[in-house]
Amino acid sequence: MGDSEGGDKYRSHLTGEAEKNTKWRDGAPPNYDAVNKLFEEGRTKVWPPGSLEEQVQNLLKTWEMEMFHKTCFADNKTLVDHNTYTKSLNGRKPITLEETRKIGGGYNSFLQTSLPKELRGYDPDVETVESAHLAFTTTFPRGFAVEVLQVYSGPPVIPYKFRHWGYMEGPFKGCPPTGELVEFFGIGIFHVDEKMKVEKVEFFFDRGELLGGLMRGAKGSDGSTSATEAPISCPFLASK
């Protein structure tokens, strides 16, 4: 994958004849120059060209690009079949592309939670595709880079460890920008066919690791700052 398939250094299916009819969320292909620079400056691994690790990393970047920026399911060329593809988070029930759309798209599908509403620093039930996109692109103006840290086995089932990171250079849900590094780690599993196209994906990570970094400066009900997900005090702890 890469620019030989109409992309940049790390992503395919961005440009070229095959994408001339692609429907993009913002009307045009996204520009990854800033986040590619962030990635190259902050990555902890440099994988050999052609290695399985590089292939999985580029597949992850291309898959993310399509999930977040292409609005027509049939335009997702990383998938075996957009009608049967599913994604699951932390062992929850797998969801289809249409179900992902109904809950507000990429960010909301990654930040699903069973926390009570009053304890959610970010509530995917009330965010839309547009509001979620605006929240995170404002917070991370240079983008949110991703790297693969380890690949545990080869296809057709590919479990891998990843790291996502960026710098909080804009506000998030009323929390002021800190300029600090925000990162989280997780495990992903790609289920692929013989052409390395995705049949389904699974992700396992703690959303609090991300949101805790973004809400580090949030004020609690007592006026103190908190690094917890929700900027309120816990009634159970308060009674102790």
Side-chain angles (χ1 to χ4, degrees):
M1 304 184 87
D3 55 13
S4 63
E5 295 183 53
D8 64 8
K9 290 185 290 185
Y10 308 111
R11 297 165 190 83
S12 301
H13 313 310
L14 260 172
T15 60
E17 186 68 18
E19 303 303 322
K20 67 178 183 179
N21 296 317
T22 295
K23 296 177 176 63
W24 298 98
R25 185 165 308 283
D26 295 323
N31 185 302
Y32 282 96
D33 289 350
V35 77
N36 285 347
K37 186 172 186 292
L38 179 68
F39 164 72
E40 290 166 358
E41 291 174 347
R43 61 184 167 182
T44 61
K45 302 283 187 178
V46 178
W47 299 114
S51 64
L52 178 61
E53 290 84 358
E54 185 198 50
Q55 292 179 58
V56 174
Q57 183 168 265
N58 289 354
L59 175 60
L60 175 59
K61 290 175 184 288
T62 302
W63 173 86
E64 280 196 349
M65 175 273 293
E66 293 198 314
M67 291 295 113
F68 281 83
H69 293 281
K70 293 184 177 181
T71 60
C72 178
F73 298 157
D75 290 334
N76 290 292
K77 298 178 179 65
T78 53
L79 307 183
V80 173
D81 185 344
H82 65 272
N83 293 301
T84 59
Y85 160 85
T86 61
K87 178 180 74 175
S88 67
L89 176 66
N90 294 335
R92 292 169 176 261
K93 178 184 175 181
I95 60 175
T96 64
L97 284 174
E98 182 57 38
E99 289 170 325
T100 298
R101 175 179 286 172
K102 287 180 179 178
I103 62 175
Y107 292 105
N108 286 343
S109 67
F110 275 114
L111 295 172
Q112 292 295 297
T113 180
S114 56
L115 281 171
K117 284 186 176 294
E118 65 272 16
L119 297 179
R120 300 179 184 183
Y122 175 94
D123 188 353
D125 291 347
V126 301
E127 300 291 343
T128 65
V129 173
E130 292 76 18
S131 68
H133 181 75
L134 179 62
F136 285 97
T137 55
T138 299
T139 301
F140 298 118
R142 287 189 284 160
F144 201 43
V146 65
E147 69 172 334
V148 164
L149 299 175
Q150 187 171 355
V151 175
Y152 297 105
S153 66
V157 179
I158 310 175
Y160 59 92
K161 182 178 181 180
F162 67 89
R163 169 184 172 243
H164 248 305
W165 77 97
Y167 289 86
M168 188 186 179
E169 295 165 327
F172 182 79
K173 296 296 174 185
C175 299
T178 64
E180 295 180 1
L181 173 69
V182 176
E183 63 182 346
F184 74 93
F185 299 82
I187 297 294
I189 305 173
F190 278 132
H191 298 253
V192 301
D193 69 0
E194 66 280 1
K195 297 180 180 178
M196 286 289 280
K197 290 202 169 193
V198 178
E199 297 173 339
K200 67 177 182 178
V201 295
E202 303 173 69
F203 288 101
F204 300 86
F205 62 88
D206 177 8
R207 78 176 221 147
E209 191 176 6
L210 167 62
L211 296 177
L214 294 175
M215 306 187 76
R216 193 172 289 131
K219 295 290 184 180
S221 59
D222 60 355
S224 62
T225 58
S226 171
T228 59
E229 176 174 324
I232 64 175
S233 59
C234 176
F236 300 101
L237 294 177
S239 64
K240 299 299 182 181

